[in-house]
Amino acid sequence: MKEVKRALITGINGQSGSYLAEFLINKGYEVFGTIKRNSVSENQTARLDSIYDKIKDNLIYADLLDVPSLLHALKKSNPSEVYNLAAQSHVRISFDQPVYTAQATGIGTLNLLEAIRIYDPSIKMYQASSSEMFGNSIDADGYQRETTPLNPVSPYGCAKVFSYNICRNYRNSYGMYISNGILFNHESPRRGTNFVTNKVVKSAVRIKLGMEKKLVLGNLNATRDWGHAKDYVEAMWMMLQKEESGDYVCSTGVSHSVLELVQYVFGKLEMDWTQYVSSDDKFMRPEELEDLKGDSSKLRNETGWTPKYTFETMLDEMISHWLEYYSDIKK
Ligand code: GDD
């Protein structure tokens, strides 16, 4: 048994990686994380600002496509838990870069599994699986759950299905502890602004402040089950505390359309959305996943997980974030 719990997070500087790092540090873990070389080093660790002093020496340059770098990361961190959050995670961009997405989001997971199997197969691994894997499969009651067939409709979804399956295969073949969290959309002020929630909130705030005139979106009819990333990283950790590994849907069980998201955010800012919002083909996907709504009963029953944020409180936090951000800039 390793004494101090040590965790390695791939993609630690992403939205969920940064919340997970904070969560695990609060739990007393020593946290390590992989980051990728980027030509703009500024802002690369911006999401880690609040814990930077605690982890700056534990950030390791590594890439899921570079197995020796993964072995170095495992050797340096010597973890009892690995959270695989790194990926090319943007669905529409996966149509522009399908091969890279298949490599990073699919083969990258296999590389990590092999590195763990070589270094120490007793390490517990969390795999960031995704509701995008369901594609347009919906159970008769309108929900997706662990037993819903996987029928992906994007290169990203196809790559995630490969990762999900290869994790199950390694669990069964080698007895390794690997859990798939099938997470539905999760958002926060730290969400990249090319994902729809933060794109809408940031733009609406800028329109309110007179900094922007229009917001151009893609499909307004798609529905998503949006939760808060802070709640979802807790679920990731809870999954790995169970005796046995398994596959778990994590979702709020409530879905809204992109249009309802727009109406809520503009309404909160006391603006008439019809004056500002339009739709353009350039933000449409060649094949769209229309509706997502998750049934997370298995996770809730087995771990006691329950989300603290609602759709509304999550968006309120994001609106406040951008209002404060621009008022600080003006000072
Ligand atoms: N990004 C974006 N930009 N999406 C738009 C826009 C726009 O201008 N206009 C409409 N949408 C619609 C998309 O077509 C989609 O139906 C929905 O808004 C959500 O899009 P995203 O926020 O980009 O998220 P996503 O659902 O494609 O993928 C996210 O969730 C997955 C879990 O289901 C990502 O976080 C994935 O990495 C994650 O696996």
Side-chain angles (χ1 to χ4, degrees):
M1 270 299 277
K2 288 157 185 162
E3 284 166 14
V4 180
K5 281 214 157 189
R6 295 157 73 95
L8 174 66
I9 305 172
T10 70
I12 193 171
N13 51 350
Q15 171 191 237
S16 302
S18 64
Y19 282 118
L20 180 62
E22 287 168 11
F23 177 86
L24 293 176
I25 285 172
N26 282 335
K27 287 264 172 216
Y29 280 68
E30 188 171 358
V31 174
F32 295 77
T34 69
I35 54 171
K36 280 208 314 184
R37 192 260 165 182
N38 185 324
S39 62
V40 185
S41 58
E42 287 78 15
N43 295 331
Q44 217 192 345
T45 55
R47 293 182 174 110
L48 299 169
D49 276 353
S50 70
I51 50 169
Y52 190 67
D53 284 344
K54 295 196 177 91
I55 55 157
K56 61 177 187 295
D57 296 331
N58 294 351
L59 297 178
I60 305 158
Y61 280 104
D63 192 306
L64 291 179
L65 298 181
D66 177 349
V67 177
S69 76
L70 297 176
L71 286 165
H72 281 297
L74 288 168
K75 199 169 159 200
K76 175 158 184 190
S77 55
N78 190 28
S80 52
E81 296 172 7
V82 171
Y83 294 85
N84 185 30
L85 309 190
Q88 190 306 89
S89 68
H90 200 284
V91 175
R92 205 205 50 73
I93 294 172
S94 80
F95 288 95
D96 298 338
Q97 289 196 288
V99 176
Y100 172 71
T101 303
Q103 287 167 341
T105 307
I107 299 298
T109 308
L110 178 55
N111 286 338
L112 182 61
L113 286 168
E114 276 295 279
I116 292 174
R117 193 164 76 91
I118 292 166
Y119 176 72
D120 176 2
S122 76
I123 291 171
K124 292 179 168 185
M125 177 172 148
Y126 170 86
Q127 168 60 17
S129 286
S130 161
S131 51
E132 184 71 21
M133 298 189 308
F134 293 120
N136 288 326
S137 285
I138 306 178
D139 287 358
D141 64 358
Y143 288 86
Q144 287 101 355
R145 46 178 63 81
E146 292 81 4
T147 49
T148 306
L150 305 178
N151 187 23
V153 294
S154 62
Y156 169 82
C158 293
K160 281 287 182 188
V161 170
F162 171 79
S163 288
Y164 171 81
N165 282 325
I166 200 73
C167 283
R168 285 164 59 97
N169 174 241
Y170 269 55
R171 184 200 296 156
N172 296 331
S173 301
Y174 305 118
M176 290 165 65
Y177 187 113
I178 304 159
S179 284
N180 278 297
I182 306 171
L183 268 51
F184 282 60
N185 299 50
H186 39 289
E187 319 294 314
S188 74
R190 294 184 196 170
R191 184 58 138 157
T193 51
N194 56 352
F195 293 90
V196 77
T197 53
N198 221 11
K199 178 175 173 178
V200 169
V201 176
K202 183 182 178 188
S203 238
V205 166
R206 287 173 60 85
I207 290 169
K208 179 78 186 173
L209 299 176
M211 302 167 79
E212 216 168 280
K213 290 195 162 41
K214 293 278 175 210
L215 166 60
V216 184
L217 294 169
N219 179 7
L220 299 181
N221 299 321
T223 67
R224 290 291 184 272
D225 177 333
W226 280 293
H228 196 298
K230 235 185 200 176
D231 283 333
Y232 286 35
V233 301
E234 184 178 15
M236 295 175 189
W237 174 79
M238 283 175 145
M239 287 177 212
L240 287 204
Q241 309 317 303
K242 286 190 53 66
E243 192 83 9
E244 305 275 329
S245 52
D247 306 319
Y248 296 92
V249 159
C250 180
S251 62
T252 69
V254 180
S255 74
H256 294 274
S257 66
V258 174
L259 180 59
E260 285 165 350
L261 161 74
V262 166
Q263 287 169 332
Y264 182 83
V265 173
F266 278 78
K268 266 276 160 174
L269 292 165
E270 296 175 336
M271 293 189 293
D272 174 6
W273 70 272
T274 60
Q275 303 295 306
Y276 307 101
V277 179
S278 60
S279 182
D280 189 289
D281 280 355
K282 101 173 163 204
F283 295 111
M284 302 282 186
R285 289 143 194 218
E287 191 177 3
E288 170 72 297
L289 193 169
E290 290 295 342
D291 297 302
L292 280 176
K293 186 165 65 163
D295 171 8
S296 54
S297 309
K298 180 180 175 196
L299 176 71
R300 293 176 194 232
N301 292 338
E302 290 191 22
T303 67
W305 179 81
T306 177
K308 295 171 191 76
Y309 282 87
T310 62
F311 175 74
E312 290 79 13
T313 58
M314 177 188 82
L315 289 174
D316 292 349
E317 185 185 293
M318 293 169 73
I319 293 168
S320 301
H321 164 81
W322 284 112
L323 285 170
E324 273 166 39
Y325 176 84
Y326 286 114
S327 86
D328 284 352
I329 283 183
K330 280 187 185 156
K331 276 178 201 157

